Amino acid sequence: MTFDRLRVYEAGRFYDTPLPDWYHEVNRLSEMENVDWHRAFERVVGCAYTLLTEEGLLSASLEIRFWPSETHGILVLIETPPGLVEQVVIPNPADWLPFLSTYLAPLMASSAQFANAMMLARIGNALIARARHGDGPHMDRETGESRIDRENDWKRRRAERLRAAAAQHSDGGAA
């Protein structure tokens, strides 16, 4: 997780600043001593993070953590499984609530809505699979889809391709 600038939110606006010394120390500790970046940050700044997006409540694709440090302000990390999306430092604690309500709350709400939509799709798939084929090991635990339906779809697409190839071959032989 290395960047050359740090985003700062202060008095309702954003600006970028060069990385402070403590940030370089976090990167050094993480890379040289093979410490998780989040744990390295805790050691350098002297405070533990709070996870705003609890596992199981929001989409697993979004994590928002913040570290409230008395000396360095509040550092917010927004991450997805592929990597870091944004990092913001809020030097003045009075700016935390406006930042949270204006930027983080809508992001968390949209992530939660996406997670709910995905869960409803999974439930719908499971209900359809059960209605078609009954209970059994044919239902995929992750998607709720029926393996029987997938196999039947594959066979149908394969038969369509074979018919199309046969039709093309018979048209080509007549010309």
Side-chain angles (χ1 to χ4, degrees):
M1 274 196 203
T2 9
F3 289 83
D4 58 352
R5 313 258 323 142
L6 188 61
R7 175 119 339 144
V8 178
Y9 178 81
E10 196 168 23
R13 66 181 192 91
F14 291 96
Y15 61 91
D16 290 343
T17 185
L19 294 175
D21 292 338
W22 56 263
Y23 193 95
H24 290 294
E25 178 59 20
V26 170
N27 284 334
R28 187 202 63 75
L29 186 63
S30 176
E31 292 168 6
M32 298 297 196
E33 297 184 25
N34 202 23
V35 176
D36 175 67
W37 197 92
H38 303 110
R39 299 295 175 215
F41 189 83
E42 288 178 354
R43 283 176 43 186
V44 170
V45 178
C47 65
Y49 70 81
T50 300
L51 190 60
L52 282 178
T53 52
E54 292 295 326
E55 187 176 341
L57 295 179
L58 292 180
S59 167
S61 63
L62 180 70
E63 274 191 357
I64 300 174
R65 307 170 193 261
F66 73 96
W67 288 261
S69 168
E70 291 181 18
T71 56
H72 303 294
I74 301 168
L75 176 72
V76 179
L77 288 183
I78 303 169
E79 300 172 293
T80 61
L84 184 64
V85 173
E86 188 62 83
Q87 57 186 358
V88 180
V89 169
I90 304 161
N92 184 355
D95 289 328
W96 169 243
L97 189 56
F99 179 78
L100 177 66
S101 61
T102 304
Y103 298 102
L104 296 182
L107 185 61
M108 292 166 32
S110 67
S111 179
Q113 289 171 354
F114 178 75
N116 284 339
M118 295 303 293
M119 182 58 70
L120 288 173
R122 182 178 171 194
I123 291 169
N125 287 338
L127 289 172
I128 291 168
R130 185 166 189 235
R132 283 187 179 154
H133 310 292
D135 284 335
H138 64 89
M139 290 175 46
D140 186 301
R141 292 181 58 127
E142 296 300 317
T143 65
E145 293 177 346
S146 170
R147 290 184 187 100
I148 295 169
D149 288 338
R150 272 195 237 136
E151 187 175 310
N152 289 344
D153 289 345
W154 178 81
K155 287 177 183 175
R156 183 182 43 77
R157 284 191 301 273
R158 184 170 178 251
E160 287 173 1
R161 283 193 306 268
L162 289 172
R163 279 193 299 274
Q168 185 180 19
H169 179 65
S170 66
D171 289 344

